[in-house]
Amino acid sequence: MTRPATGPAVLADPALVERVRAGLAASGAAPTPAQVAVLLRRERGVLGDTTVLAVTDALRAEISGAGPLEALLRRPGTTDVLVNGPGQVWVDRGCGLERSPVRIGDENAVRRLAQRLAAAGGRRLDDAQPYVDTRLPDGTRVHAVLPPLAPDGTCVSLRVPARRSFGIADLEAAGSLTAVMSGWLRALVAARLAFLVTGGTGSGKTTVLSALLGLVAAGERVLVVEDSSELRPEHPHVVRLEARPPNVEGAGAVTMAELVRQALRMRPDRLVVGEVRGGEVVDLLAALNTGHEGGCGTLHANAPAAVPARLEALGVAAGLGREAVHSQVSAGLDAVVHLVREADGSRRVAELHALERDGAGYVVARPALSVDRSGSWRAGSGLESLRAAVEARGVAP
């Protein structure tokens, strides 16, 4: 039988799917096209191949995939799928959130979906553990919260990993990076300066960091430490380490801090921390101050000026004193590359800042280069210190 198209436009009747699902459950049969066809004939007589396969796909997705969300997750360009209860499904395809016509049955169906996704990631989700943060085998990040913590119904958030890597040239062509900013970022990487890529949630930090790692010389060994594997740099020598959450018994966790320490024993030319957000900041700063040049990572920050305070808070929480944090940041980190996400969903590299000490000895972020939406740029007081640092390594910005 030739398989008809069963893309997102072919949607099975949810009530029909539920009745067929109940029939399969009662018989113990697998959701094959033949078995589905038998049950459909009992329902409405003879139906076409398209309906049979649409119902089959829906049932298979419910059993082993993301149910009615499967088609949304497979669409090119999808970055996020958000479920706010059974009647609200939202999708982000790079231009901001938009309401989807997809509906997930009722609250019980959403709860079953959330629990199945949690189990696929090796975690539990029930009344005793009413929230979960995990990753599916294909890299999709899943977060879910059950009622009564979510009083309007089970909430599920899925972050889809990038299906391809973008290089610097791709970012320039997309308008996310101007030629002037690109030249300075290339110089930072070539000069082996240490930097952080910052911005808010969904601003493109991982995409930009992956592109910059693609500029690293082919003869260098890049060690990437992540909480969840997302970085996909186009580089011939990348070694990835991924943190592990505790199992259902609460044991077996491997933290980012421990992986940073392990990475330092693996002869890294570049140490990369996918996202700095905990105690690993202490080990990263120590590494950047002990001969591991050119390290980098991402950090959530609404503005470059907030980066020193964010690093201070993380370092102090991990046991360092305030002065020690600023001393290590001053000696180990050189620059901040900041991204913004505009109201229309577009993302761009907007600012480059130099990290310098102020008169009191604390680190501040000084503007070096700022680019507005039109592509116009202006230099700031921190540009000369970055120029001096780059030229000292024999690189022309």
Side-chain angles (χ1 to χ4, degrees):
M1 180 176 66
T2 302
R3 183 181 178 89
T6 55
V10 181
L11 299 176
D13 178 2
L16 179 60
V17 172
E18 180 60 26
R19 290 196 296 273
V20 174
R21 185 191 67 77
L24 289 170
S27 66
T32 63
Q35 289 292 339
V36 170
V38 169
L39 292 171
L40 285 176
R41 280 196 294 272
R42 296 176 185 172
E43 285 282 339
R44 297 183 179 178
V46 179
L47 297 175
D49 290 346
T50 298
T51 300
V52 172
L53 291 173
V55 173
T56 302
D57 286 345
L59 289 168
R60 285 176 173 168
E62 181 178 346
I63 292 171
S64 60
L69 304 181
E70 195 73 32
L72 296 178
L73 294 171
R74 286 199 296 248
R75 283 182 182 174
T78 296
T79 61
D80 297 87
V81 175
L82 309 174
V83 181
N84 305 336
Q88 288 195 48
V89 177
W90 297 78
V91 62
D92 189 341
R93 290 182 289 180
C95 298
L97 289 172
E98 53 187 285
R99 187 79 173 261
S100 168
V102 172
R103 181 182 174 85
I104 309 177
D106 55 15
E107 168 58 25
N108 288 332
V110 181
R111 184 185 179 101
R112 287 199 306 270
L113 170 63
Q115 290 176 320
R116 184 172 67 251
L117 293 173
R123 306 296 296 278
R124 59 179 285 192
L125 181 65
D126 50 35
D127 290 338
Q129 179 62 52
Y131 53 85
V132 69
D133 186 16
T134 188
R135 184 174 67 88
L136 301 182
D138 68 354
T140 300
R141 290 290 301 269
V142 178
H143 183 271
V145 184
L146 298 179
L149 275 64
D152 295 327
T154 299
C155 293
V156 184
S157 305
L158 298 107
R159 168 65 60 88
V160 182
R163 293 181 173 88
R164 55 161 293 195
S165 296
F166 293 87
I168 288 292
D170 295 317
L171 298 182
E172 291 180 14
S176 299
L177 187 62
T178 64
V180 172
M181 184 67 80
S182 174
W184 276 98
L185 298 186
R186 291 173 186 272
L188 289 183
V189 175
R192 298 179 59 83
L193 297 188
F195 61 90
L196 292 175
V197 178
T198 66
T201 300
S203 58
K205 298 184 295 296
T206 299
T207 299
V208 169
L209 182 55
S210 287
L212 294 178
L213 292 175
L215 300 174
V216 173
E220 296 188 40
R221 176 176 167 90
V222 180
L223 260 294
V224 178
V225 177
E226 295 182 271
D227 181 59
S228 179
S229 183
E230 294 181 325
L231 287 168
R232 290 289 185 269
E234 293 188 356
H235 189 277
H237 197 162
V238 177
V239 179
R240 297 182 180 87
L241 300 179
E242 185 176 351
R244 185 175 68 190
N247 59 24
V248 293
E249 287 81 25
V254 179
T255 65
M256 291 277 287
E258 179 58 42
L259 288 185
V260 171
R261 290 192 289 271
Q262 296 304 316
L264 294 177
R265 300 182 176 95
M266 299 171 67
R267 196 219 173 269
D269 290 305
R270 305 267 184 160
L271 177 62
V272 182
V273 176
E275 182 180 343
V276 180
R277 60 179 179 182
E280 67 275 3
V281 69
V282 174
D283 300 283
L284 175 62
L285 291 175
L288 297 178
N289 280 279
T290 54
H292 296 278
E293 298 178 336
C296 52
T298 72
L299 179 77
H300 279 273
N302 292 328
V307 170
R310 282 277 291 135
L311 293 173
E312 178 184 313
L314 293 173
V316 170
L320 285 181
R322 184 186 184 196
E323 289 75 14
V325 173
H326 283 267
S327 293
Q328 295 223 43
V329 171
S330 174
L333 278 170
D334 300 290
V336 172
V337 179
H338 188 70
L339 284 80
V340 297
R341 179 172 180 169
E342 305 291 356
D344 62 1
S346 62
R347 305 162 176 87
R348 62 187 181 88
V349 181
E351 299 178 71
L352 175 64
H353 283 231
L355 292 175
E356 304 174 353
R357 285 184 183 265
D358 62 12
Y362 294 110
V363 173
V364 295
R366 298 201 187 281
L369 190 66
S370 300
V371 181
D372 62 24
R373 293 199 65 178
S374 70
S376 300
W377 62 275
R378 67 177 184 275
S381 60
L383 191 62
E384 286 311 309
S385 64
L386 282 184
R387 185 189 303 277
V390 166
E391 292 178 344
R393 305 287 181 91
V395 177

